[in-house]
């Protein structure tokens, strides 16, 4: 199975400027058409699985941007929907019959804190806390994907 590539890098190369702690997840909110274009480029390059662009998102980060719980679930779901939109557009343009998958993307706990925390052990969270962090809130809206992609560094 071939996965898509570095979404944040590709978005940036296409002119996306991230101005918040939600990194490439901000494209779901502000540049959905660009996000679909990048997904389509990965499909054209041979990707079979597209991630939902929700790697950096968390309930706490989205609350800090002014979103309530219902809106947060919608943002996660919108990431999956945009990936599906890209797949549909790719199929329409190419006639491809490949079975593409959408991965609802979860980043490491540290990634949701921003500031490079995913590359260090600060702040440390016990394993049961990590489990609770991801299960309590982060899957909301991602269940529409075919799989859950748990990214780690």
């Amino acid at each position: 199975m071939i996965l898509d590539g570095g979404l944040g890098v590709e978005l940036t190369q296409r002119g996306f400027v991230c101005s918040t702690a939600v990194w490439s997840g901000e494209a779901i909110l502000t540049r959905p058409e660009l996000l679909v274009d990048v997904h389509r480029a990965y499909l054209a390059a041979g990707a079979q699985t597209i991630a939902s662009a929700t790697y950096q998102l968390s309930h706490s980060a989205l609350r800090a941007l002014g979103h309530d719980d219902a809106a947060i679930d919608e943002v996660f779901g919108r990431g999956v929907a945009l990936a599906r939109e890209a797949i549909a557009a790719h199929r329409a343009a190419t006639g491809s019959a490949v079975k593409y998958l959408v991965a609802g993307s979860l980043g490491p706990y540290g990634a949701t804190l921003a500031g490079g925390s995913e590359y260090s052990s600060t702040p440390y969270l016990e394993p049961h806390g990590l489990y609770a962090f991801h299960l309590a809130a982060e899957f909301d809206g991602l269940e529409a994907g075919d799989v859950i992609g748990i990214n780690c560094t």
Side-chain angles (χ1 to χ4, degrees):
M1 176 181 307
I2 301 171
L3 302 175
D4 60 2
L7 189 58
V9 171
E10 188 63 26
L11 285 166
T12 300
Q13 289 177 343
R14 292 171 181 239
F16 177 70
V17 177
C18 178
S19 61
T20 69
V22 297
W23 196 38
S24 58
E26 185 178 332
I28 295 169
L29 302 166
T30 63
R31 297 289 309 274
E33 75 292 339
L34 180 61
L35 183 56
V36 169
D37 287 346
V38 171
H39 287 328
R40 288 185 67 189
Y42 283 128
L43 292 164
Q48 297 165 308
T49 302
I50 297 297
S52 62
T54 52
Y55 172 90
Q56 194 84 9
L57 298 182
S58 69
H59 280 237
S60 59
L62 288 168
R63 272 191 208 101
L65 295 176
H67 297 279
D68 64 19
D69 286 343
I72 291 168
D73 292 349
E74 188 175 304
V75 172
F76 278 96
R78 183 76 176 129
V80 171
L82 291 169
R84 292 212 186 282
E85 181 181 322
I87 290 169
H90 176 74
R91 279 203 173 108
T94 66
S96 176
V98 172
K99 179 174 176 20
Y100 298 106
L101 297 175
V102 173
S105 180
L106 290 174
Y109 169 72
T112 66
L113 304 176
S117 296
E118 69 268 42
Y119 301 110
S120 71
S121 59
T122 306
Y124 178 78
L125 191 63
E126 294 290 335
H128 68 277
L130 288 172
Y131 181 80
F133 172 79
H134 284 301
L135 287 184
E138 304 309 318
F139 285 97
D140 296 337
L142 293 181
E143 67 274 359
D146 301 304
V147 296
I148 300 292
I150 300 175
N151 301 275
C152 59
T153 54

